[in-house]
Every structure is written in C-alpha cells, then in structure tokens.
Amino acid sequence: MDTVTVLLGEPDAVPYRLEVSDGQAAEEVATGTTDRRMSFDLRGRALRAVKLVFPEAPAEIKEVRVHGR
C-alpha cells in the first residue's frame, strides 16, 4: 500500500489519529484535524492494518481509497 485517501462528509474539523500496524505493534503516524479530503503517504511500510480514529466525535466517512501495489 502506498497511499490511503479518505473523503469525509459532515462534520468538518474533527480531531483524528491514524494508526498503522505491521501485525506486531501499532504505531501512531499522524494526528490532526480533519479536512474533507485527507491523504496519507504510507510508502515503504510493510503494513497489515491501518486504523483511522476519531477520539472526540464521530465523522461521516464517504469513501476510502487504498492505492499501491
């Protein structure tokens, strides 16, 4: 997997945390406040799982695209 792109609906500006796992341990790789469209570059990682967490309020996810080999 090279890139994960997420398209959100309402509401705007929700805090998020992106976690990835190689099957052994989870690692936080990004935090911030959402935009309508977010893209995460995950090249060079051997990943088994990607988790997008909204710790303060739910967010409407309209679309998730995973790009890569």
Side-chain angles (χ1 to χ4, degrees):
M1 141 182 10
D2 290 336
T3 307
V4 174
T5 303
V6 180
L7 180 62
L8 298 175
E10 297 291 334
D12 264 343
V14 174
Y16 72 87
R17 178 176 72 243
L18 183 72
E19 299 173 355
V20 297
S21 173
D22 61 3
Q24 299 295 319
E27 174 188 356
E28 184 178 287
V29 293
T31 60
T33 304
T34 59
D35 290 322
R36 291 273 186 186
R37 180 183 175 97
M38 300 183 300
S39 187
F40 304 99
D41 185 351
L42 302 172
R43 280 179 279 213
R45 296 175 174 267
L47 300 177
R48 296 192 67 157
V50 176
K51 181 178 179 181
L52 186 57
V53 179
F54 303 100
E56 293 182 17
E60 177 189 359
I61 298 176
K62 291 190 168 196
E63 182 178 297
V64 175
R65 291 188 182 180
V66 178
H67 309 275
R69 300 178 184 139

